[in-house]
Amino acid sequence: MKELVAAALAAAKERGQDVADVPLTGIAAAAGISRSTLLRRLGGSRAALDEAVRQAGVDPGGRPPVRERAIEAAAHLVAERGLAGITLDAVADRAGCSLPSLHTVFEGRDGLLAAVFGQYGPLPDLEALAADPPEDLEGAVRALYETFAASFAQEPRVVPAVFADLFSRPDGPAAAMMGANLPRTYDGLNRLLQPHVEAGRLRPLPVPVLVQLLLGPLITHILLRPVLEPAFGAGLPSVDRAIDHFVDCYLRAVALPGA
């Protein structure tokens, strides 16, 4: 049975699924045997395999996949405790899964945190925007501001917790989370900005500089709002109004004449 358990775990990892969601044909292929042989060795039912997987310390699933449950649980824990308070034990307890299953799916804490930021950070909306970008420069800039502002406001509030950790520990888990998603994030931003550089609408600055000029003021504004709101009250513009100002200032700074 041990080799069948190993085959089931390998197939589940390759597919990104729970063991219970992997068809018997997939497990049989991973074990190098036919489906009929697998069923015969299991006594005609996969229940024995699921129980053996459970005895090996891995939740075979059947509920929402461990990956989904763990990412959701970890996101709520990040919002409640910050990154420093996240342990795989706490995530396993909140998600109702075993610790070995988290190691199988994510290969450790860093992999789990990177998946959390990938789902609850700006990346999904950024990639959707890059796939269907506004044609005009102002529309593209405004859409980028709105996308990143929305990621800070999304519940559970993962992004503010990530930046809080990043500023306090530049070499901590937040840096690893963002670094793991940086290639895809950079690709999305490059696909949105580079065409305007090539068309002569934006100054030919390096894309990282264009991005820093774009997002620096917005991120600073949003992170400081909890402090500024009690001090300025109605004098502090709404996030939407602040975005209007940032769009205008960004275009004045980097758009070429006639853009």
Side-chain angles (χ1 to χ4, degrees):
M1 183 64 77
K2 287 184 179 180
E3 64 271 20
L4 297 183
V5 169
L9 292 176
K13 182 176 180 179
E14 181 179 356
R15 292 166 175 259
Q17 296 176 312
D18 283 347
V19 170
D21 296 323
V22 178
L24 288 177
T25 51
I27 296 173
I33 57 178
S34 68
R35 184 179 184 277
S36 59
T37 300
L38 174 63
L39 276 172
R40 186 169 60 251
R41 292 176 62 178
L42 293 176
S45 169
R46 70 177 296 156
L49 176 61
D50 289 342
E51 181 57 30
V53 169
R54 193 174 288 108
Q55 291 296 323
V58 178
D59 179 6
R63 296 179 286 169
V66 167
R67 181 179 180 84
E68 292 180 12
R69 302 199 321 264
I71 289 175
E72 181 180 359
H76 285 280
L77 288 170
V78 167
E80 294 167 11
R81 306 179 183 180
L83 291 182
I86 300 302
T87 65
L88 288 182
D89 287 316
V91 174
D93 183 64
R94 177 74 68 95
C97 63
S98 69
L99 193 59
S101 67
L102 292 183
H103 284 286
T104 298
V105 174
F106 298 103
E107 299 183 348
R109 182 173 181 265
D110 287 348
L112 171 60
L113 292 178
V116 170
F117 189 69
Q119 180 166 315
Y120 287 91
L123 185 56
D125 290 336
L126 175 62
E127 290 184 330
L129 178 62
D132 185 24
E135 293 185 1
D136 64 296
L137 175 58
E138 181 177 346
V141 171
R142 185 177 300 278
L144 278 170
Y145 275 124
E146 292 172 346
T147 295
F148 278 85
S151 73
F152 276 85
Q154 180 181 213
E155 295 289 348
R157 294 174 64 81
V158 169
V159 175
V162 169
F163 274 90
D165 187 86
L166 181 66
F167 291 147
S168 62
R169 295 184 295 170
D171 58 348
M177 289 173 72
M178 298 181 71
N181 289 280
L182 185 59
R184 289 171 59 193
T185 302
Y186 179 84
D187 178 66
L189 290 165
N190 187 62
R191 287 160 60 192
L192 283 159
L193 297 177
Q194 190 61 36
H196 294 289
V197 174
E198 294 172 355
R201 303 184 193 103
L202 281 179
R203 298 184 187 281
L205 299 171
V207 171
V209 175
L210 288 173
V211 171
Q212 290 169 340
L213 290 170
L214 178 78
L215 297 180
L218 176 72
I219 292 173
T220 302
H221 178 80
I222 290 178
L223 291 177
L224 289 178
R225 281 191 74 89
V227 177
L228 298 177
E229 284 174 339
F232 291 95
L236 184 68
S238 67
V239 173
D240 288 341
R241 185 57 180 155
I243 287 175
D244 290 337
H245 295 311
F246 292 142
V247 170
D248 180 63
C249 291
Y250 185 73
L251 294 178
R252 288 175 181 272
V254 300
L256 290 171

